[in-house]
Amino acid sequence: IAGITQAPTSQILAAGRRMTLRCTQDMRHNAMYWYRQDLGLGLRLIHYSNTAGTTGKGEVPDGYSVSRANTDDFPLTLASAVPSQTSVYFCASRDSDNSPLHFGNGTRLTVT
Amino acid sequence: GQNIDQPTEMTATEGAIVQINCTYQTSGFNGLFWYQQHAGEAPTFLSYNVLDGLEEKGRFSSFLSRSKGYSYLLLKELQMKDSASYLCAVIDSNYQLIWGAGTKLIIKP
């Protein structure tokens, strides 16, 4: 089934540890996004990539990095996790500027 | 700054009709999306409006007025499974998505 796969589904992480959230899509979409969703704040954009080889910063990029080596994969790395990064992380992609976003099932991350 | 406003929470009765409003102030406008998000799940696409007027899709309809910076999502014949959060998102002049915080809809029998 075509779509976006995120891994892991959930994770408990000690503060200070490094963590990579994985995201893979098989729809050949050019644009990919990482959001975090916190209660009462809605979706906030962390980083995005308009096409393979390019990335950009969103609204809340500090403490996160991304790479886009190919069209399908868009991993999100927390270099040194802090408790404020406890959140649900969604990866998304879209075909063109006016197309709706397709979301992965999310990663629930708890930093202790 | 860019801003999207939606009510935080609404309650409605099974079988009734509910209207969820969204007002926006963005730098440019290239379309508006409505998404549904059940608790613990990913958002799923419901509707897209780029021209003024009403778009109907089964029990769900979405309306847009660009001059007023206003949209609403209309849900008819409410079912218990419609209990979810409804997210409004606007595509701005740079084709970036600006998201509202979402409206939690509670359906009572």
Side-chain angles (χ1 to χ4, degrees):
Chain A
I1 298 176
I4 298 180
T5 302
Q6 290 186 236
T9 303
S10 65
Q11 182 76 43
I12 299 174
L13 187 68
R17 296 297 295 270
R18 180 183 179 90
M19 174 78 190
T20 295
L21 308 186
R22 300 185 298 279
C23 175
T24 300
Q25 55 109 353
D26 61 3
M27 298 174 284
R28 308 303 293 172
H29 287 172
N30 281 322
M32 295 188 75
Y33 306 84
W34 274 105
Y35 288 93
R36 60 178 289 173
Q37 188 174 40
D38 303 288
L39 198 63
L41 294 178
L43 289 163
R44 292 185 291 168
L45 182 64
I46 304 170
H47 285 286
Y48 65 93
S49 170
N50 288 328
T51 189
T54 69
T55 62
K57 293 182 179 180
E59 180 186 356
V60 288
D62 293 344
Y64 306 94
S65 63
V66 291
S67 61
R68 186 88 184 278
N70 56 62
T71 298
D72 298 344
D73 300 301
F74 191 42
L76 176 74
T77 297
L78 290 69
S80 178
V82 295
S84 63
Q85 292 178 312
T86 293
S87 187
V88 179
Y89 291 86
F90 287 104
C91 180
S93 71
R94 64 176 173 176
D95 187 31
S96 65
D97 286 342
N98 292 91
S99 300
L101 288 182
H102 296 258
F103 285 87
N105 287 330
T107 294
R108 184 173 298 274
L109 181 67
T110 302
V111 183
T112 61
Chain B
Q2 308 202 86
N3 192 54
I4 294 184
D5 287 317
Q6 306 178 232
T8 302
E9 186 175 296
M10 299 181 70
T11 302
T13 304
E14 189 177 16
I17 299 173
V18 71
Q19 178 175 310
I20 302 174
N21 295 326
C22 169
T23 57
Y24 61 89
Q25 295 167 315
T26 57
S27 57
F29 178 86
N30 282 299
L32 183 146
F33 294 114
W34 282 98
Y35 278 79
Q36 180 189 59
Q37 186 177 24
H38 286 103
E41 298 182 7
T44 56
F45 168 71
L46 285 178
S47 68
Y48 171 66
N49 294 73
V50 66
L51 300 176
D52 290 350
L54 189 68
E55 294 282 341
E56 296 187 78
K57 195 183 289 187
R59 294 188 300 113
F60 292 8
S61 302
S62 56
F63 172 84
L64 175 67
S65 169
R66 289 172 296 171
S67 63
K68 295 182 179 178
Y70 168 69
S71 174
Y72 67 72
L73 181 68
L74 191 71
L75 291 74
K76 303 176 184 176
E77 302 169 13
L78 285 169
Q79 303 175 8
M80 297 303 294
K81 67 178 182 180
D82 298 330
S83 292
S85 289
Y86 291 86
L87 313 179
C88 174
V90 170
I91 307 171
D92 71 8
S93 58
N94 294 318
Y95 291 93
Q96 297 298 313
L97 274 170
I98 311 301
W99 292 87
T103 298
K104 182 178 181 180
L105 178 64
I106 300 168
I107 309 295
K108 296 186 174 180

